[in-house]
Amino acid sequence: MKFFVDTADVDAIAELNDLGFVDGVTTNPSLIMKSGRDILEVTKEICGMIDGPVSAEVVALNYDDMIKEGRKLAKIAENIAVKVPLTWDGLKTCKTLSEEGTMVNVTLCFSANQALLAAKAGASFISPFIGRLDDINTDGLQLIEDIRVIYDNYAYETEILAASIRTVNHVSDCAKIGADVVTAPPNVLQNLAKHPLTDQGLEAFMKDWAKTGQKIL
């Protein structure tokens, strides 16, 4: 499973990338706002840091302007995935851009029917939002499972990019279901390495080692 980091913080991306944990990056208008930087500038810098897809989102709501914005974003770098919302105009934009050879990430997916339409429109990635479904007492992971079944039934090449990841359990559950990608904030990816029993075991080892009076260096 691929790990995308969901942030526009270049320092956080660099730290995870040095460990080999970054297969791609996703951004959105809210993350760009948090970075405090110009969207074109920071996106270009991120694209230069990693080889994988970098999602940059359009902000227009109608097809004509989405196409213009999408084409401008696509010119930033070859690894740009233009991010469009799962609306009718977004799907039309997806079809046009994908036919032009541009990667497209269709975002804000909340149903299997929406995911089916995105695949038929040629999306490179579909981004179902797990956490936001959980927020309204709907099983977000069930959506991932439903999309996996549909895509496998018809051999769609669109990759399932599980988004709105809130917990480490979301990550492991998505891996078991068969999501192609998870995109998560840096802190969630870092928390994958943590376990209280690891900490307890390490503490016990250190106490015993101190009693030996030995040194390795």
Side-chain angles (χ1 to χ4, degrees), residues 159-214:
E159 294 188 55
I160 301 173
L161 196 168
S164 189
I165 299 292
R166 304 279 178 79
T167 70
V168 294
N169 287 339
H170 276 161
V171 176
S172 56
D173 286 338
C174 284
K176 287 184 283 188
I177 291 169
D180 300 288
V181 189
V182 293
T183 185
N187 68 301
V188 173
L189 294 180
Q190 291 165 347
N191 284 340
L192 294 176
K194 296 181 180 179
H195 196 284
L197 294 181
T198 302
D199 296 337
Q200 292 174 22
L202 184 59
E203 182 180 3
F205 290 161
M206 291 302 97
K207 287 181 179 178
D208 289 341
W209 178 249
K211 293 174 184 177
T212 71
Q214 299 181 52

Side-chain angles (χ1 to χ4, degrees), residues 47-213:
C47 286
M49 295 169 63
I50 67 166
D51 297 325
V54 176
S55 290
E57 189 165 346
V58 301
V59 293
L61 299 177
N62 63 82
Y63 170 78
D64 290 337
D65 290 335
M66 281 186 184
I67 284 293
K68 292 176 184 176
E69 291 181 356
R71 287 171 176 161
K72 184 172 183 177
L73 292 170
K75 290 179 180 178
I76 294 174
E78 292 184 356
N79 54 333
I80 282 288
V82 175
K83 202 172 182 183
V84 300
L86 214 158
T87 61
W88 202 250
D89 286 79
L91 291 170
K92 289 169 63 179
T93 302
C94 173
K95 180 173 174 56
T96 299
L97 290 177
S98 62
E99 287 178 346
E100 293 175 356
T102 298
M103 289 187 291
V104 180
N105 178 358
V106 180
T107 190
L108 292 171
C109 172
F110 294 100
S111 77
N113 284 332
Q114 289 180 318
L116 179 57
L117 288 175
K120 291 183 73 67
S124 305
F125 303 98
I126 183 67
S127 290
F129 277 40
I130 297 173
R132 294 195 191 187
L133 283 171
D134 288 350
D135 289 343
I136 60 168
N137 295 320
T138 301
D139 188 350
L141 289 166
Q142 183 62 53
L143 174 58
I144 303 297
E145 187 171 345
D146 291 344
I147 297 171
R148 180 76 279 159
V149 170
I150 291 171
Y151 281 10
D152 288 348
N153 280 349
Y154 301 101
Y156 285 121
E157 296 182 359
T158 301
E159 294 188 55
I160 301 173
L161 196 168
S164 189
I165 299 292
R166 304 279 178 79
T167 70
V168 294
N169 287 339
H170 276 161
V171 176
S172 56
D173 286 338
C174 284
K176 287 184 283 188
I177 291 169
D180 300 288
V181 189
V182 293
T183 185
N187 68 301
V188 173
L189 294 180
Q190 291 165 347
N191 284 340
L192 294 176
K194 296 181 180 179
H195 196 284
L197 294 181
T198 302
D199 296 337
Q200 292 174 22
L202 184 59
E203 182 180 3
F205 290 161
M206 291 302 97
K207 287 181 179 178
D208 289 341
W209 178 249
K211 293 174 184 177
T212 71

